[in-house]
Amino acid sequence: MNDLQHIRIVTPVYPRPWKPESGRFVANLAEAWSTAGRQIDVVSPTTLSERLKGRRQGTVDVTMPGVTTHLVPTLGTPFSAHMPARLHRALRHRHDRQVTQEMRRRSSADVIYAQFAETGHYAREIAREQGIPYFVALGESGSLLDGPEAHLEIRRKVMRDAAGVVCVSPRLRDEALALGGHPDRVTLIPNFPNWSRFSPMDKISCRRRLGLYPDTFIALYVGHYYDRKGAPRLNAALHQMTQPAQAAFLGSGPLAPDFPGVIKTGSVGHEELALWMNAADVLALPTLAEGCCNAIAEALACALPLVTSDIDDVRWQVPDRGVVLVDPTNVGALAQALDHLAANPEQVAAMRADLMPLAQMDRNKNRASEILNWMQHILSQPPE
């Protein structure tokens, strides 16, 4: 079989009405496959705590033509850090059972595409029952080789039995192989932005559309307001700056910024995000860990200079021009880098000019097509 007409995606992250930025990269994939004529349905669990938080926020329409979405309400594992291990396991088992039951209720697809290793065991279970193949997409920021032996054994089974494994970084490819993935069925396909939405635009006109001052230094943060992503460290660095600056924190989460120069917070849609990326002077993202960062890919597509983390996964993703790498745990170094750029607008302009040709380089690449073609190629091979 190599004609994949019906693809079922199972993923823990996907746009929700109350959290439209969640899993945007998975939605891009689903939208592209649907546009290519495939029938796409998405199964994504949503925990009680997530739904309760969502009630306190506004909602937006996140539906896409041709993509059917099933948000599976589960209890999840609330207060997991404070509950007995036995209760945690029981709640986790209940959560898993609700997701697999939802997958069983749907008509059989031609293939299951599991985003992240944690959903790979759902795909493996249902695929074995229905006699269909499954693929696993790895984009984890943490190492898959860490954790209790029981978890590692599940990951080994998932990698061993998968028809194929798609990795967004060399680190994850190496980890998939270490966990037993077949070398001929593990591939590296990094994240690409939606090229139709992210491209270089005139900074002054974008600022005018957003109601911003034309000359103020603006640092942009895109992501959840979590420690791993770096929101609190960027907030602290902005407080330490000596040069005048403003900042936009586009995302949501518990660690909201309090820097007086913050001019925008909250989630925005793709079109407005592209405006902000072209209106800002730098993307400032002191992340502690990544797989292949979508915000960085989108910034590069807009020729937006970067102040980001000197860590392996980021160094692999970014070019050697137009980027300042800092220790993501060193708030003072981050403040110093931002101060230097705020005081030297000509350097910011030169960084943007350096990135401009790079922003045009990969626009012929389509990640969704590459993955779809690769899956069809794998499934066309004779069984071993």
Side-chain angles (χ1 to χ4, degrees):
M1 179 194 74
N2 62 0
D3 188 19
L4 303 181
Q5 291 302 314
H6 182 185
I7 303 173
R8 172 158 298 130
I9 299 173
V10 56
T11 173
V13 292
Y14 199 74
R16 282 86 160 92
W18 58 88
K19 199 173 183 180
E21 77 279 6
S22 177
R24 188 173 64 243
F25 60 99
V26 188
N28 288 342
L29 202 62
E31 182 181 30
W33 285 344
S34 174
T35 303
R38 268 55 182 188
Q39 178 185 348
I40 307 299
D41 67 79
V42 179
V43 175
S44 184
T46 169
T47 64
L48 176 62
S49 61
E50 182 186 74
R51 297 194 301 279
L52 291 175
K53 291 176 185 176
R55 288 180 181 176
R56 300 194 294 267
Q57 302 171 210
T59 61
V60 298
D61 182 9
V62 295
T63 59
M64 291 187 297
V67 179
T68 304
T69 304
H70 313 285
L71 294 181
V72 185
T74 78
L75 180 60
T77 55
F79 312 111
S80 59
H82 307 287
M83 66 172 59
R86 185 174 179 180
L87 177 58
H88 181 272
R89 286 194 300 271
L91 288 175
R92 184 70 216 186
H93 179 71
R94 185 177 188 272
H95 172 91
D96 293 349
R97 187 173 68 250
Q98 289 175 289
V99 177
T100 52
Q101 285 176 344
E102 179 66 27
M103 294 174 71
R104 289 187 183 97
R105 277 195 286 268
R106 306 295 156 191
S107 60
S108 180
D110 294 323
V111 68
I112 301 174
Y113 185 87
Q115 182 65 52
F116 301 129
E118 72 175 88
T119 55
H121 68 282
Y122 306 145
R124 179 176 180 267
E125 180 177 342
I126 300 302
R128 287 160 67 93
E129 289 178 9
Q130 298 181 350
I132 60 175
Y134 72 93
F135 289 80
V136 181
L138 302 181
E140 282 83 349
S141 56
S143 174
L144 296 174
L145 304 181
D146 294 338
E149 177 57 31
H151 293 179
L152 293 176
E153 182 56 27
I154 291 174
R155 292 171 195 161
R156 292 187 192 104
K157 291 178 180 178
V158 167
M159 300 302 154
R160 180 196 67 204
D161 294 342
V165 184
V166 181
C167 308
V168 298
S169 73
R171 171 185 62 83
L172 287 164
R173 178 189 57 196
D174 294 344
E175 292 180 0
L177 293 171
L179 288 167
H182 192 286
D184 293 337
R185 292 187 275 118
V186 175
T187 190
L188 172 62
I189 305 178
N191 290 334
F192 292 110
N194 185 323
W195 298 118
S196 66
R197 292 175 177 149
F198 294 94
S199 60
M201 294 185 279
D202 180 70
K203 182 167 78 170
I204 298 303
S205 63
C206 289
R207 289 195 176 197
R208 188 180 301 117
R209 290 173 65 181
L210 292 168
L212 307 175
Y213 291 115
D215 299 322
T216 306
F217 180 82
I218 299 177
L220 177 67
Y221 173 92
V222 178
H224 299 309
Y225 303 161
Y226 297 155
D227 184 72
R228 179 182 70 79
K229 279 289 187 181
R233 293 185 298 283
L234 175 58
N235 184 62
L238 291 166
H239 277 286
Q240 291 185 18
M241 288 182 65
T242 59
Q243 296 290 323
Q246 293 180 332
F249 282 74
L250 305 186
S252 62
L255 303 177
D258 63 3
F259 174 61
V262 171
I263 53 176
K264 175 69 176 179
T265 59
S267 303
V268 299
H270 274 122
E271 291 75 13
E272 188 175 347
L273 177 58
L275 285 178
W276 278 100
M277 286 195 162
N278 280 280
D281 290 289
V282 297
L283 176 74
L285 195 69
T287 177
L288 296 177
E290 290 293 334
C292 180
C293 180
N294 287 279
I296 288 177
E298 290 161 353
L300 292 174
C302 295
L304 175 62
L306 302 170
V307 177
T308 188
S309 303
D310 192 8
I311 59 176
D312 288 345
D313 281 341
V314 170
R315 282 195 298 271
W316 173 79
Q317 187 180 2
V318 301
D320 57 3
R321 295 175 290 167
V323 179
V324 177
L325 297 177
V326 298
D327 177 352
T329 65
N330 189 331
V331 171
L334 178 60
Q336 186 177 18
L338 293 172
D339 252 336
H340 176 76
L341 294 178
N344 295 277
E346 70 285 351
Q347 182 174 344
V348 176
M351 293 170 69
R352 186 182 295 271
D354 284 341
L355 291 174
M356 198 66 72
L358 299 175
Q360 306 296 336
M361 280 182 57
D362 292 324
R363 291 188 177 269
N364 62 327
K365 293 186 177 180
N366 183 308
R367 186 170 191 265
S369 294
E370 288 191 23
I371 294 174
L372 184 60
N373 291 339
W374 182 75
M375 290 195 299
Q376 291 182 144
H377 168 73
I378 290 293
L379 296 177
S380 69
Q381 303 301 304
E384 297 178 1

